[in-house]
């Protein structure tokens, strides 16, 4: 199974981006068993939670992104999304898709998001 991220890039402050993460090689029923999520990391800092979403459950957001970011998932497409609005330079980071089942977390390769004028 691979988590394949897309949708990153350069955006101006106040702009929007939508990240996608496709769970390649995973069957639908297994996808629904995983809590999917997004984390981010900047140089010299630990990876931090952005948002997670269990199948059929309530999303969980970091305080810093509440009201600006929306996480969603599509089981038939085996994809999790992160809609990011009102972006600020502080959102600049490498964003990682994650899947968690029981206590095991698996990561995508990461995708750069840069917010700059």
């Amino acid at each position: 199974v691979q988590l394949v991220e897309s949708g990153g890039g350069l955006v101006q402050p106040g702009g929007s981006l939508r990240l996608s993460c496709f769970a390649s090689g995973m069957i639908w029923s297994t996808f629904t068993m995983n809590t999917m999520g997004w984390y981010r990391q900047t140089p010299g800092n630990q990876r931090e939670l952005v948002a997670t979403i269990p199948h059929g459950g309530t999303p969980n957001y970091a305080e810093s992104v509440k009201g600006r970011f929306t996480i969603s998932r599509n089981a038939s497409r085996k994809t999790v999304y992160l809609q990011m609005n009102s972006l600020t330079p502080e959102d600049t980071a490498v964003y990682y898709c994650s899947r968690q089942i029981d206590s095991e977390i698996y990561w995508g390769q990461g995708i750069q998001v840069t917010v700059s004028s």
Side-chain angles (χ1 to χ4, degrees):
V1 176
Q2 280 190 307
L3 300 176
V4 182
E5 298 118 331
S6 61
L10 174 65
V11 63
Q12 291 188 339
S16 299
L17 279 177
R18 187 195 196 202
L19 303 183
S20 299
C21 172
F22 171 61
S24 175
M26 183 182 288
I27 62 175
W28 175 85
S29 59
T30 302
F31 183 81
T32 62
M33 294 169 61
N34 282 262
T35 291
M36 303 300 295
W38 291 95
Y39 290 70
R40 65 188 182 187
Q41 188 171 21
T42 54
N45 293 305
Q46 290 189 332
R47 197 169 296 185
E48 63 175 12
L49 169 75
V50 175
T52 59
I53 182 169
H55 176 69
T58 302
N60 176 53
Y61 295 97
E63 285 295 326
S64 60
V65 307
K66 280 184 179 178
R68 300 188 299 123
F69 290 12
T70 303
I71 189 171
S72 60
R73 59 190 289 165
N74 185 316
S76 63
R77 295 182 177 180
K78 297 177 290 183
T79 299
V80 60
Y81 305 96
L82 185 69
Q83 178 66 44
M84 305 185 292
N85 299 328
S86 302
L87 286 160
T88 74
E90 288 68 38
D91 296 313
T92 295
V94 177
Y95 284 70
Y96 293 90
C97 178
S98 71
R99 67 178 183 94
Q100 181 174 355
I101 185 164
D102 297 327
S103 61
E104 295 292 328
I105 300 178
Y106 302 88
W107 303 99
Q109 79 281 3
I111 192 165
Q112 179 70 44
V113 171
T114 302
V115 185
S116 175
S117 55

